[in-house]
Amino acid sequence: MSGQVIALSGGIGGAKLALGLDRVLAPGELTIIANTGDDFRHLGLHISPDIDTLLYTLAGLDDPVKGWGRRDETWTFTRALAELGGEAWFQLGDGDLAIHVERTRRLAAGETLSQVTEALRRRLGIGARIVPMSDEPVATRVHTDEGWLDFQHYFVRRRCEPRVVGLDFAGAGEARMAPEVAAAFADPALRAVILCPSNPYLSVDPILAVPGMRAALAGCAAPVIAVSPIIAGQAVKGPTAKMMAELGLEPSAETVARHYEGLIDAFVVDEADAGLAIAGMQIAATPTLMRSLADKQRLARFVLGLAARLA
Ligand code: GDP
């Protein structure tokens, strides 16, 4: 079966399934809509963490041990900066630095974030289109017991330790969908929209906060399928389950499914959560822990097969 596929993705969890989809789909069939709520300016550079994770993962440049950044990285810059008493809390590898410098240069020359990302993915030999949710700035801010924190301040500087009370996506109300996002949803060949197993609150909600995004999902003829980032009540990595508990939500696949209720046609849970039933929602269970490339491709095929049956 051929046709276009859209995947909504954050960083690490989303990129795993995005890689599987990229490998099982034909070139040109996949459009990945990336969260840019984590984007920030640091040391004068425009940093787009989720776009970079997607670029590195799909180009095979990612560090499988650390789970972020580039493989075979060196850290001379960050060390030298720390020696000078500079802002070294956000580690920038020497190779990684290049992507931030090049993005910042192109943006300053007048390119949109979409254009910069398109140029980078082509240069890195990536087949899938990677599109920011918006070319305008949207900034995730975390309301915590220590007050409002900018996202990277919460995530990296404070290592997700403060208790989360709420979230805000500053600028989302005025942001417009990137042109390629709107075009992807309008494509009559669209056969599936997949919400990757990303953090629903920090990675998917900022995308959904861009005006028109929810309507695009609700209005598209293709089935919309989400994959749970929570397996047996736990996150595979990161603060998703901790945050859910702090927000007064039970950390479970069911809570994630209910979060997306009305927006999705089907929900994929891990086999550990088989048996979950929600009225009006198709639920399918399969192994969803993606360790190897084979795991990622298998889950991608499973989701695409489900979409074909729902179509
Ligand atoms: P971030 O932006 O880098 O935090 O990454 P994402 O939001 O895309 O992904 C974080 C989520 O991915 C966490 O909730 C994890 O539980 C989930 N995750 C990571 N690896 C896997 C996996 O192999 N399978 C599933 N089902 N979820 C995963």
Side-chain angles (χ1 to χ4, degrees):
M1 192 186 171
S2 66
Q4 295 294 312
V5 174
I6 293 175
L8 273 59
S9 176
I12 293 167
K16 287 187 186 178
L17 183 58
L19 176 62
L21 289 164
D22 180 57
R23 293 300 143 91
V24 305
L25 289 165
E29 284 188 331
L30 178 63
T31 299
I32 304 164
I33 303 176
N35 168 41
T36 56
D38 301 2
D39 287 24
F40 73 125
R41 278 196 88 82
H42 184 59
L43 308 174
L45 301 172
H46 182 114
I47 301 182
S48 296
D50 288 354
I51 289 177
D52 291 344
T53 296
L54 286 161
L55 287 170
Y56 292 153
T57 303
L58 270 68
L61 295 171
D62 59 306
D63 184 335
V65 180
K66 269 203 323 305
W68 56 272
R70 291 178 64 127
R71 67 177 64 203
D72 303 323
E73 189 61 282
T74 55
W75 302 94
T76 307
F77 170 77
T78 290
R79 268 201 305 273
L81 187 63
E83 279 167 19
L84 297 174
E87 293 252 330
W89 57 272
F90 192 85
Q91 291 194 304
L92 291 169
D94 300 333
D96 184 38
L97 202 50
I99 210 165
H100 312 309
V101 169
E102 179 61 4
R103 172 182 295 117
T104 307
R105 182 191 71 77
R106 285 173 173 268
L107 289 171
E111 289 184 41
T112 64
L113 185 59
S114 295
Q115 289 167 335
V116 178
T117 310
E118 174 66 11
L120 293 173
R121 72 100 180 170
R122 283 181 182 274
R123 186 77 200 182
L124 293 173
I126 296 168
R129 271 179 300 274
I130 301 175
V131 185
M133 63 198 202
S134 174
D135 286 327
E136 277 108 41
V138 175
T140 298
R141 300 182 67 236
V142 188
H143 194 194
T144 74
D145 53 0
E146 298 178 5
W148 281 98
L149 299 176
D150 290 340
F151 177 74
Q152 297 299 341
H153 194 114
Y154 163 78
F155 200 74
V156 177
R157 201 167 199 172
R158 293 290 295 111
R159 298 168 201 275
C160 307
E161 280 164 17
R163 192 169 55 83
V164 177
V165 185
L167 293 159
D168 176 52
F169 310 118
E174 298 81 53
R176 286 165 300 170
M177 276 194 232
E180 295 77 7
V181 172
F185 277 108
D187 191 333
L190 183 63
R191 64 162 145 143
V193 179
I194 299 164
L195 276 56
C196 288
S198 288
N199 186 317
Y201 313 95
L202 288 177
S203 294
V204 181
D205 278 0
I207 303 178
L208 299 177
V210 176
M213 199 71 77
R214 283 179 176 273
L217 261 76
C220 76
V224 180
I225 301 173
V227 179
S228 179
I230 296 287
I231 300 177
Q234 295 193 326
V236 178
K237 198 175 193 306
T240 311
K242 174 180 179 282
M243 269 187 57
M244 290 172 86
E246 289 166 356
L247 290 169
L249 302 165
E250 192 204 339
S252 67
E254 176 170 2
T255 304
V256 177
R258 296 215 180 268
H259 185 72
Y260 293 139
E261 224 168 353
L263 209 59
I264 60 173
D265 300 295
F267 190 63
V268 175
V269 297
D270 191 80
E271 56 185 350
D273 296 304
L276 174 64
I278 295 176
M281 193 187 288
Q282 177 108 12
I283 296 185
T286 191
T288 67
L289 188 59
M290 295 172 279
R291 288 198 183 93
S292 64
L293 179 60
D295 294 340
K296 296 170 182 119
Q297 290 176 311
R298 205 203 54 78
L299 183 57
R301 281 199 197 90
F302 180 87
V303 177
L304 293 170
L306 179 60
R309 287 199 298 284
L310 289 169

